[in-house]
Amino acid sequence: MADHTVRRPSVPLGLTANLTIGAGVHVLALLVYGTLSLLRLEGCDRADGLAAGWALAVLLDLLLGGILLAGALRRTDGRRWAVLAGWALSLVPFAALAGVGMNYLATLPGGCA
């Protein structure tokens, strides 16, 4: 008789794998921000265009990261700690870069000259 059981595709479950996936999501958001900042979306206020690019990159990071984290948590076999620890460690450099980016945007002068 044929075996008709459904097999899940193999997914990385370890701490390093989830750290890498989380870091990849953050790098993608960084690339989106870099691309949008090069497009010069602003009118006469440079800070508005950079802030809009920043907001879109953070939104992408949160949405994509949330979806991938939920999928990783759903597929774990008793190793939730590895998934959560990997994603938490990937947030450390992202949070530091987010703080630097927010400080930079706050220092830009506003308005048309």
Side-chain angles (χ1 to χ4, degrees):
M1 185 148 222
D3 182 20
H4 295 290
T5 58
V6 177
R7 300 190 197 289
R8 287 187 186 172
S10 176
V11 293
L13 297 175
L15 174 77
T16 307
N18 285 289
L19 175 63
T20 304
I21 293 168
V25 170
H26 303 318
V27 168
L28 178 65
L30 179 67
L31 291 174
V32 166
Y33 175 67
T35 303
L36 290 175
S37 66
L38 290 176
L39 290 178
R40 305 257 182 225
L41 299 174
E42 68 272 359
C44 61
D45 192 1
R46 179 178 158 101
D48 288 345
L50 292 176
W54 181 254
L56 288 173
V58 169
L59 183 65
L60 170 77
D61 186 70
L62 291 175
L63 289 175
L64 185 60
I67 291 168
L68 290 175
L69 177 60
L73 285 172
R74 190 170 157 230
R75 292 177 183 239
T76 60
D77 296 327
R79 298 180 70 182
R80 287 178 163 272
W81 68 269
V83 173
L84 294 174
W87 280 85
L89 287 174
S90 76
L91 284 174
V92 172
F94 176 72
L97 285 174
V100 169
M102 294 300 284
N103 285 337
Y104 173 70
L105 289 175
T107 61
L108 290 175
C112 298

